Amino acid sequence: MPELPEVETVRRGLEPVMAGAVIARAEVRRAGLRWPFPARMAERLTGARVERLRRRSKYILADLSTGETLLIHLGMSGRMLISGTMLGEFHHDHPAPEKHDHVVLHMDTGARITFNDARRFGAMDLFPTGEDDAHPLLARLGPEPLGNAFNERHLVAALAGRNTPIKAALLDQHIVAGLGNIYVCEVLHRAGISPRRKAGRIAAARAAALVPIIRDVLGEAIASGGSSLRDYRQASGELGYFQHAFRVYGREGAACATPDCTGTIRRIVQSGRSSFYCPRCQR
Ligand SMILES: [Zn+2]
């Protein structure tokens, strides 16, 4: 499942192809994915210029010249494929349509952007630009982890008095938007905090220290996605998934990577999801 760094990587990959270009024709091949598409979506997209491509949490938002914003969510298995344009030194011809190509945007530049989603948990919607806070998927999101509103004061206050495990608190999208299971495991390992520790029982200084760690972990993953844009994507035309080395996620039974720690990574299940951590250096 793509998390914030993967979505940001997709956004950065789409930006040079979409921003400033006009959607000459939109092909909508089914009535919806996770939810029905908005009424007359193809018509409303056709002729629109993409003024700006932004991201909020795990949503890609394209502000259009028509006064509407196109929301794109990759869901569990959504992929964006670019064809008909130069990506670095590679040129991708338009591929034959595949079974799970649900929406195709034909840009006036000749580029084609295909949204392929085998499991159909993805979503697309249109809403009036500037009304992010009124959209049901965006309205109640907390601050962006890489933005200024997410700071030490905010996080310390949000965790204070909470009886839930810190793992669950960091996954709570009202506290911070866009953090998912994989990166929360990585953050807690780097912070030396057990995923089972009650959020309200973490001293303010340790809670505050989570802020720069969250920024670093996400920043490094985005940088790693950036290098994948330069090589891997250019060879395939596909955006979004990249190899990133995790310290704990998916490493049950492996030796802990913390210097001088002799611990072994364990997996436990919290709220139905796997947590990977080192019981020796995470307290
Ligand atoms: Zn350890």
Side-chain angles (χ1 to χ4, degrees), residues 175-243:
I175 293 180
V176 55
L179 270 190
N181 199 42
I182 295 174
Y183 292 100
V184 168
C185 291
E186 296 296 305
V187 162
L188 291 175
H189 181 253
R190 206 175 289 195
I193 298 175
S194 166
R196 312 163 83 139
R197 178 168 286 275
K198 298 266 190 277
R201 299 285 304 275
I202 298 171
R206 287 183 91 198
L210 280 167
V211 170
I213 293 173
I214 288 169
R215 293 184 194 270
D216 285 352
V217 166
L218 294 177
E220 286 163 25
I222 290 170
S224 147
S227 22
S228 81
L229 279 184
R230 283 186 291 278
D231 35 77
Y232 170 72
R233 171 202 72 167
Q234 289 177 357
S236 74
E238 178 179 330
L239 300 174
Y241 297 87
F242 53 86
Q243 293 299 312

Side-chain angles (χ1 to χ4, degrees), residues 7-16 53-55 60:
V7 175
E8 176 61 19
T9 300
V10 172
R11 189 198 68 79
R12 290 181 186 189
L14 289 174
E15 192 165 43
L53 203 65
R54 20 185 210 110
R55 179 187 55 74
I60 295 171

Side-chain angles (χ1 to χ4, degrees), residues 25 85-86 92 94 131 135 156 164 223 239-240 250 277:
R25 185 162 69 89
T85 188
M86 295 297 291
H92 301 279
H94 298 306
E131 295 186 12
H135 193 280
V156 170
T164 52
L239 300 174
Y277 77 113

Side-chain angles (χ1 to χ4, degrees), residues 189 256 258 261 263 278 280-281:
H189 181 253
C256 177
T258 302
C261 179
C278 171
R280 188 166 290 249
C281 66

Side-chain angles (χ1 to χ4, degrees), residues 22-30 37-49 64-68 70 103-106 124 126:
V22 171
I23 302 169
R25 185 162 69 89
E27 253 180 88
V28 178
R29 298 197 173 137
R30 55 181 303 120
F37 289 134
R40 301 167 32 251
M41 183 165 86
E43 221 175 295
R44 285 157 75 183
L45 290 174
T46 298
R49 178 184 301 276
L64 307 174
S65 58
T66 52
E68 293 196 295
L70 171 66
V103 176
V104 185
L105 303 178
H106 301 259
M124 278 196 176
L126 284 162

